[in-house]
Amino acid sequence: MVVTEQAQEVERPSEGVITAAVYAVLVMLGLVMGVVGAFQHSWYVWPVPVSAGGCVLVLFAVCSGAGRAMRGRAAALVPAAAWLVVTMLFLGGRPEGDVVIANNLAGYLYLYGGLAAILAAVLLTPASGGGSWLLRRPPYGSRPADPR
């Protein structure tokens, strides 16, 4: 006797749900990078703040990778915005005089290098429309729209 079982079809989540989940993970990744980077950016190897440089490289890699994986600049901006929110919170001084990101070489490299890394990652990410509007050529013989 042969017994066959019928497998039930499993419904897949919609594309919107998956996209929202990915963006939520990117926000969490940006928040974690901001917290870890803020507290660990000040490791020196003699005069060079290597940890701040490493944090900047990781920030660039995550933002660039997110933008390329999701095929859009918005995905590159999501972890960057989360990182920026955490970093701005940690830049503020407290009444006791304590700061997390100090105004020394490591702090400057972490802050301004991170901003430059975000800018580079967003600008180097291909646009979601299949290419840059600036580099796309109009069809041969086409004319600009009449502004009248």
Side-chain angles (χ1 to χ4, degrees), residues 111-128:
L111 179 62
Y112 296 122
L115 293 174
I118 289 170
L119 180 65
V122 169
L123 290 178
L124 291 175
T125 300
S128 60

Side-chain angles (χ1 to χ4, degrees), residues 10-82:
V10 177
E11 288 187 36
R12 291 186 162 185
S14 69
E15 188 175 326
V17 171
I18 293 173
T19 303
V22 169
Y23 279 121
V25 169
L26 289 175
V27 167
M28 293 303 294
L29 186 59
L31 294 173
V32 168
M33 284 189 320
V35 170
V36 170
F39 286 107
Q40 300 297 323
H41 74 278
S42 59
W43 290 18
Y44 283 83
V45 173
W46 194 56
V48 180
V50 292
S51 182
C55 290
V56 168
L57 290 176
V58 168
L59 180 64
F60 173 77
V62 166
C63 292
S64 179
R68 290 181 187 276
M70 294 289 289
R71 294 187 178 104
R73 291 187 176 150
L77 282 173
V78 168

Side-chain angles (χ1 to χ4, degrees), residues 74-87:
L77 282 173
V78 168
W83 175 85
L84 196 59
V85 165
V86 171
T87 302

Side-chain angles (χ1 to χ4, degrees), residues 126-148:
S128 60
S132 173
W133 62 271
L134 186 60
L135 300 177
R136 194 176 313 143
R137 290 186 178 182
Y140 181 73
S142 65
R143 296 185 176 184
D146 191 15
R148 288 187 242 164

